[in-house]
Amino acid sequence: MPFSADAFRVFSLGKGELFFSACAILLPDVPVERANYAEANIRISVSADYSSKNEFCYLRIREDVVEIHCRDEAGARNAAAILAQILRKNEGGYTLPCGDIRDWPDAQYRAFMVESSGRVWVPMETMRRDIREMALCRMNVLQFHFMEDPGCTVPLTSVPNFKGGPNNEKFTRAEVDDMIAFAAQLGIRVVPFIEILSHAADFAIAEDLMCPGDNLENLYDVCLGQEKTYAAIEKVIREVAEIFPDEVIHIGADEYDMSRVTPKTAYWDKCPHCRKRMEEKGYTTLRELFLYGISRINEIVNDAGKVMMMW
C-alpha cells in the first residue's frame, strides 16, 4: 500500500524552513500544516550528523508516515523537490510510493543561465517558471544575464541612457527584487551576469567609452586605455552589487576578438589610448592589455564586496 494523505502534517526538527517554502511553491495544491510529533504524517529533521555529503537527504516512505533526514537546509529543499516529483493526486487526496530514497548532488555548483537582455526578452513569469523547474531538478544557481551588446533589461540609474530589450522592455526594480526572493524560497542563488568589457557596444555608446576611430560596424569592446572606462564600470558594478545580494558578479568578458567570424572586435591595437597604456605597462600583445583590464575590473568587484566570475 502507498502512503496516502489529504494533507501534509509536518513535524520539523532543526533548520528546515526551505522544506516548507519549497512545498508551498512546488506543491501549491497540497495543504501543508505544522504538527506535533504524534500527529505528523511527515517528520523531517536536519542535522550535519546524518551525512558528510552536502545537501544529502534520506526519505523513508511508509504507509502511515514519511521520515526525512537531511544534512542541511538545502537537503530539505531537495527532499521537497523529490516529493513534488513522485506525489500523485487521487480522489481521496495524495499518494506516495513506499520505499527508501537517498539523494545528494555530485556537483556543488549546479547552474542555469537565463538571458533576458537587449538581445532577447524573457518576461518575468517565464523566469519564475524556469526557477521553479530548476528547483525540481535540484539546481542551486541562476545566472541572470540581463546586460548584453544590444541593451540592459534591469534599469540602472548609473547608465540612464542604456536601452532595454528588443522593444526597449525593462523590468521594474520591484520585479527583480521579487524574483530574487522567489528564488531564495527555493534555495536558489541569483548571480547577476553583465557584459562590461566585450559584448558591450551599447554600454560603450551610452557612456562614451569607445576607442577613438572605432565605428559602429566593428564596435564590440570598451576602450581599456582611458580611465573614464573604469569609472563607468565601477558605477555599474556598485549598483549591481546593491541590487543583487549574492556574493558573485559575472562580468562576461568572452569573445573580445571576433575578427575570425565577424567584423566585431577590439579596436585596442589602433586606439591611441590603448597603445599608450600598453607602452606604459610594457605590453606587447592585446592579450596582456585584456588581462590588465580584467585585473582592474576584479579590483572594482572586490572593492564592492563581491567575487568576480567570468567566461
Side-chain angles (χ1 to χ4, degrees):
M1 293 289 291
F3 168 87
S4 182
D6 58 357
F8 284 176
R9 287 176 283 278
V10 185
F11 172 78
S12 177
L13 183 64
K15 192 176 181 181
E17 289 306 305
L18 272 182
F19 178 82
F20 292 95
S21 60
C23 281
I25 296 171
L26 301 179
L27 294 165
D29 298 328
V30 179
V32 178
E33 309 162 1
R34 295 179 187 265
N36 60 38
Y37 183 87
E39 296 173 342
N41 57 13
I42 293 184
R43 298 167 184 158
I44 180 169
S45 57
V46 180
S47 171
D49 293 336
Y50 289 130
S51 176
S52 61
K53 302 179 186 297
N54 290 335
E55 301 187 47
F56 170 88
C57 63
Y58 167 53
L59 289 77
R60 185 175 180 272
I61 305 172
R62 298 295 181 263
E63 294 181 24
D64 57 339
V65 68
V66 178
E67 295 181 354
I68 304 174
H69 303 297
C70 308
R71 184 187 192 280
D72 45 33
E73 194 163 13
R77 186 287 302 260
N78 293 345
I82 291 170
L83 292 180
Q85 290 173 313
I86 65 175
L87 188 73
R88 296 294 180 265
K89 183 176 175 59
N90 60 24
E91 293 183 1
Y94 305 91
T95 62
L96 293 166
C98 290
D100 292 1
I101 300 172
R102 289 177 174 82
D103 182 82
W104 64 89
D106 291 329
Q108 296 301 303
Y109 192 96
R110 306 179 304 284
F112 177 68
M113 189 188 86
V114 171
E115 177 168 8
S116 185
S117 70
R119 185 163 56 187
V120 59
W121 171 252
V122 175
M124 190 56 73
E125 57 267 26
T126 301
M127 292 188 60
R128 290 170 70 95
R129 181 205 66 193
D130 290 342
I131 291 169
R132 183 182 182 277
E133 291 180 356
M134 286 177 63
L136 287 171
C137 295
R138 301 192 280 289
M139 303 177 81
N140 59 0
V141 182
L142 171 70
Q143 292 192 356
F144 179 21
H145 188 202
F146 60 85
M147 181 176 175
E148 195 19 283
D149 186 3
C152 178
T153 55
V154 173
L156 300 176
T157 58
S158 55
V159 194
N161 297 322
F162 218 149
K163 70 180 183 181
N167 295 307
N168 206 30
E169 303 97 334
K170 288 190 179 183
F171 301 111
T172 66
R173 174 65 186 274
E175 286 178 315
V176 175
D177 290 344
D178 288 346
M179 181 267 290
I180 294 170
F182 178 75
Q185 289 179 297
L186 290 168
I188 294 173
R189 300 162 45 194
V190 179
V191 172
F193 179 2
I194 59 179
E195 306 277 7
I196 51 175
L197 190 152
S198 54
H199 288 250
D202 274 16
F203 178 47
I205 293 170
E207 292 294 291
D208 188 26
L209 308 177
M210 298 168 62
C211 291
D214 207 345
N215 59 70
L216 297 182
E217 180 183 359
N218 69 273
L219 178 60
Y220 202 56
D221 305 78
V222 295
C223 177
L224 294 185
Q226 301 183 72
E227 280 302 310
K228 67 178 182 179
T229 296
Y230 303 101
I233 288 173
E234 182 170 7
K235 288 192 304 180
V236 171
I237 291 292
R238 292 197 175 277
E239 184 170 3
V240 169
E242 291 177 1
I243 296 172
F244 293 87
D246 197 79
E247 65 175 358
V248 174
I249 294 179
H250 194 320
I251 67 159
D254 58 316
E255 300 174 329
Y256 68 90
D257 183 355
M258 290 280 284
S259 58
R260 293 184 180 181
V261 292
T262 76
K264 296 179 180 294
T265 186
Y267 206 71
W268 305 329
D269 56 335
K270 304 175 186 66
C271 169
H273 300 296
C274 291
R275 290 177 65 88
K276 181 180 179 181
R277 187 62 57 110
M278 291 177 69
E279 291 172 4
E280 291 173 350
K281 296 294 182 179
Y283 300 153
T284 59
T285 66
L286 293 187
R287 176 166 291 189
E288 290 173 298
L289 181 63
F290 169 77
L291 293 174
Y292 166 79
I294 291 297
S295 178
R296 291 286 302 271
I297 295 170
N298 185 53
E299 291 176 0
I300 293 169
V301 172
N302 292 163
D303 285 344
K306 304 290 186 174
V307 177
M308 187 182 81
M309 177 183 285
M310 61 178 285
W311 288 117

